[in-house]
Structures are given as structure tokens and as C-alpha cells.
Amino acid sequence: MASNSKTTKYRRKLRQSKAGRARKTALRIHGTTPAFPIHTPEADANAPEQAKTGSTDG
């Protein structure tokens, strides 16, 4: 049987490693950068003509 101090240290270490586990998993799955719009009307209005038509040179 383990001593009381070893048991306590093990439990503290286990609790520390499990702290924030759900948050860490959620961040790992969903990422940390919030979703943001890429093609907004303002961005399309400010785009150069070549980007608006979608044609490429070549």
C-alpha cells in the first residue's frame, strides 16, 4: 500500500493534469480563431477588376 503522502501527491498531480481538459479538447477540435467572413460586399467593392472578373492572364 502506498503512503499517504504518495497518494496525496498522485491525486494532486492527476487533478492538475485533468484541469481544463474539456476546454483544451474543444480548442483542439474547433481551433482558437473565430470564424470571420472572407467575401464581404466591402471587400468585393475594393477588389481590383482582375479579381472581380475571375479571369487570369495566361
Side-chain angles (χ1 to χ4, degrees):
M1 186 162 91
S3 67
N4 286 341
S5 58
K6 284 285 185 182
T7 304
T8 301
K9 289 178 182 179
Y10 173 75
R11 286 180 180 169
R12 286 178 181 166
K13 185 178 178 183
L14 189 65
R15 187 171 63 236
Q16 180 69 27
S17 67
K18 286 188 165 209
R21 181 66 57 105
R23 181 188 67 85
K24 292 173 189 174
T25 302
L27 289 177
R28 197 174 299 119
I29 292 171
H30 300 294
T32 56
T33 305
F36 57 92
I38 296 174
H39 297 288
T40 61
E42 294 85 15
D44 290 340
N46 294 331
E49 284 301 318
Q50 182 181 9
K52 289 180 184 177
T53 60
S55 63
T56 59
D57 292 335

